[in-house]
Amino acid sequence: MKVAVFSTKLYDHQFLEAANRNHHHEFAFFKPHLNRDTAVLAAGYPGVCIFVNDQADSPTLEYLAARGTRLIALRCAGFNNVDINAAAQLGIKVVRVPAYSPYAVAEHTIGMILALNRKYHRAYNRVREGNFSLDGLMGFDLHGRTVGIIGTGKIGVLVAQILKSFGCRILAYDVYHNPECTALGVEYVELGEIYSRSDIISLHCPLTPATHHLISTEAINQMKSGVMLVNTSRGALIDAHAVIKGLKSGKIGYLGLDVYEKESNLFFEDLSDVIIQDDIFERLVTFPNVLITAHQAFFTEEALRNIADTTVANITDIETGKKCPNLVEPERQVVG
Ligand code: NAD
């Protein structure tokens, strides 16, 4: 199939071409994000391949459908950036990569917890500048601490497993109870208890209408003073204004973000020579107890290989009329 690939970096190019060796699709690689303005690049391509910050909203899909597109292939698990109902009405199939390396995201989450606690980001800079003082670097033992995990799917269960081995007590909230977690000794509780009992809270649920701005002022007010909050899931799970208020008051003692609600204007690009206009983001980076990575939790060799292999196989399934296991059904639409 002829496929227009958006938001392409060199690594996407390399991994997709390698995965395509036995499939023979024709990829055209474009650097811009997909949106209504850039959709013209995909005119005449039956396949359009996109990532987390591309926008396949209804007008964009209408434009693409009128010019022959019949497949949107997501190179990620989340599909909050695609209007699934509009796609279905226009006869465009949507496929995704439901799992590529839950280990990558779980391990990055643990890295953020350790870095925030033991302040590696600050220690690294100090030592390079010849400052060997330990003042301000004191952490706490993770052993014996209580961690609340919201969302115990593929990634959440791995985070629970790793933290169990550190000697943490694990609380969890999910709309479904994962028997793997129960077997690990994880205690399922209501959200209020996650907030009131946890020293560390880590988010691993998808962005849906029910989870949009889940971490609000009301939720933060219920948390322990000095709580550590980590989000490697989707930016809009957190109300950034509320979190800034929580950081300023000391209620939030540590914040780790791999995702940010308005990240599509920032992440994956080198903006080091640009004046960033997002004042909320810029305020967040000023706090010494905030660690932000630019949506890199997924970014391992294994994950990129799996993403490319599944994406190419998905496109082949649709092209050959085979039943694709990774088709997104309209009723599973989420917001974003
Ligand atoms: P998953 O589908 O395996 O698990 C998600 C879990 O969330 C499920 O158990 C589900 O029941 C639960 N859930 C759904 N609605 C909920 C709600 N209202 N409250 C609490 N729990 C709820 O997904 P996963 O593979 O574990 O991924 C989790 C999230 O991580 C994804 O949704 C995605 O947004 C994010 N992610 C981020 C990166 C990254 O690079 N930062 C990479 C991959 C995935």
Side-chain angles (χ1 to χ4, degrees), residues 132 143 167 258 266 329:
F132 306 111
H143 183 93
D258 185 53
L266 303 170
E329 303 295 345

Side-chain angles (χ1 to χ4, degrees), residues 24-327:
H24 314 297
H25 298 297
E26 273 178 61
F27 291 127
F29 294 98
F30 299 112
K31 283 185 180 163
H33 293 327
L34 174 69
N35 56 43
R36 177 58 192 83
D37 297 329
T38 59
V40 62
L41 293 168
Y45 285 86
V48 169
C49 182
I50 63 173
F51 195 48
V52 290
N53 290 325
D54 293 295
Q55 277 310 323
D57 53 13
S58 178
T60 305
L61 290 168
E62 272 174 38
Y63 181 93
L64 290 172
R67 285 154 187 83
T69 297
R70 51 192 168 82
L71 171 67
I72 299 286
L74 286 148
R75 306 196 294 281
C76 54
F79 46 91
N80 48 285
N81 51 341
V82 181
D83 188 330
I84 301 296
N85 292 322
Q89 277 163 17
L90 292 161
I92 295 179
K93 292 200 161 69
V94 181
V95 292
R96 66 179 184 129
V97 185
Y100 38 88
S101 175
Y103 305 103
V105 184
E107 289 167 14
H108 190 78
T109 305
I110 302 299
M112 292 198 106
I113 293 172
L114 289 170
L116 282 165
N117 174 16
R118 306 304 295 269
K119 303 165 179 69
Y120 298 146
H121 52 306
R122 303 185 67 193
Y124 173 79
N125 286 322
R126 276 192 194 186
V127 170
R128 281 167 65 94
E129 288 174 12
N131 175 358
F132 306 111
S133 158
L134 299 184
D135 288 339
L137 298 185
M138 191 164 61
F140 57 84
D141 285 5
L142 282 172
H143 183 93
R145 295 289 172 149
T146 301
V147 182
I149 294 179
I150 302 181
T152 52
K154 291 180 285 297
I155 296 167
V157 69
L158 290 175
V159 171
Q161 220 174 66
I162 299 169
L163 288 172
K164 260 281 172 196
S165 71
F166 276 90
C168 296
R169 184 180 306 113
I170 314 287
L171 307 178
Y173 172 76
D174 196 310
V175 285
Y176 300 106
H177 291 194
N178 183 340
E180 267 186 79
C181 276
T182 316
L184 275 174
V186 169
E187 184 187 348
Y188 277 98
V189 296
E190 288 306 313
L191 264 183
E193 254 191 89
I194 293 275
Y195 298 146
S196 64
R197 288 176 58 194
S198 302
D199 300 301
I200 299 171
I201 297 175
S202 194
L203 308 180
H204 300 289
C205 56
L207 178 61
T208 68
T211 61
H212 184 260
H213 285 188
L214 180 73
I215 304 303
S216 58
T217 299
E218 198 193 338
I220 294 167
N221 285 343
Q222 297 171 58
M223 293 178 191
K224 279 189 175 180
S225 189
V227 66
M228 181 189 294
L229 184 63
V230 177
N231 185 11
T232 58
S233 196
R234 280 292 180 267
L237 295 178
I238 283 184
D239 175 350
H241 288 95
V243 158
I244 287 172
K245 247 179 27 199
L247 284 161
K248 284 168 81 174
S249 71
K251 183 81 170 175
I252 297 176
Y254 313 78
L255 176 68
L257 300 179
D258 185 53
V259 286
Y260 171 63
E261 186 166 6
K262 303 271 167 54
E263 69 178 49
S264 61
N265 299 325
L266 303 170
F267 287 5
F268 306 119
E269 303 305 327
D270 178 359
L271 302 182
S272 49
D273 284 332
V274 173
I275 305 298
I276 293 181
Q277 299 297 320
D278 184 332
D279 294 344
I280 300 296
F281 185 80
E282 288 300 280
R283 182 67 181 103
L284 282 170
V285 294
T286 64
F287 292 99
N289 50 352
V290 173
L291 177 63
I292 304 180
T293 52
H295 208 138
Q296 73 172 80
F298 76 100
F299 198 57
T300 65
E301 195 180 320
E302 290 80 359
L304 287 182
R305 194 175 311 118
N306 292 337
I307 288 171
D309 287 348
T310 306
T311 299
V312 169
N314 284 344
I315 297 168
T316 301
D317 282 352
I318 299 299
E319 186 178 40
T320 57
K322 259 177 66 184
K323 190 172 159 49
C324 178
N326 302 321
L327 198 65

